[in-house]
Amino acid sequence: QVQLVESGGGSVQAGGSLRLSCSASGTIADLNRMGWYHQAPGNQRELVATISTGGDTIYADSVKGRFTISRDNSKRTVYLQMNNLKTEDTGVYYCNVFVYKTQRSYWGQGTQVTVSS
């Protein structure tokens, strides 16, 4: 099992920055892919960015050049640096871990980000 705890959400004006963190705990050693998903009010959850153990990254087009995902494998933590935030970035951000061996996906409880104009 994997437990995920997110932090770093909050309220910011458009153009501002926030940094999200997600720490993993539990018995599973291989957290193959860690990432962040965004759910805007009334919308489905969508991929923001993911990163492999080796540092390979995938970004949604809407955040390229503004957001940076990184991870510290020794701390089992993934980060999302969000710069130049836009009002459409408002919503709940969920941390996700995918384990290749079991093909299981784990989710955090979510952290709210609100960007005002």
Side-chain angles (χ1 to χ4, degrees):
Q1 294 295 325
V2 176
Q3 293 80 43
L4 302 173
V5 178
E6 299 122 330
S7 61
S11 297
V12 66
Q13 288 191 325
S17 298
L18 285 172
R19 188 189 193 213
L20 307 182
S21 299
C22 172
S23 295
S25 61
T27 57
I28 294 179
D30 296 324
L31 309 178
N32 299 109
R33 199 144 197 108
M34 303 182 78
W36 293 93
Y37 287 70
H38 169 233
Q39 187 165 18
N43 290 358
Q44 292 185 336
R45 198 173 297 186
E46 296 179 341
L47 170 72
V48 175
T50 67
I51 185 168
S52 70
T53 305
D56 295 328
T57 58
I58 297 172
Y59 290 95
D61 288 342
S62 60
V63 306
K64 286 179 180 177
R66 300 189 298 123
F67 292 8
T68 302
I69 190 169
S70 60
R71 64 187 285 173
D72 185 331
N73 292 327
S74 66
K75 296 181 179 179
R76 295 164 62 90
T77 299
V78 63
Y79 306 95
L80 185 68
Q81 177 66 43
M82 304 187 295
N83 297 329
N84 190 21
L85 282 158
K86 303 177 179 181
T87 55
E88 53 262 43
D89 295 320
T90 293
V92 180
Y93 284 74
Y94 294 91
C95 178
N96 173 267
V97 166
F98 185 76
V99 179
Y100 292 157
K101 183 175 181 179
T102 61
Q103 292 290 295
R104 285 199 61 180
S105 189
Y106 300 87
W107 294 93
Q109 80 285 357
T111 185
Q112 176 70 40
V113 170
T114 302
V115 184
S116 59
S117 59

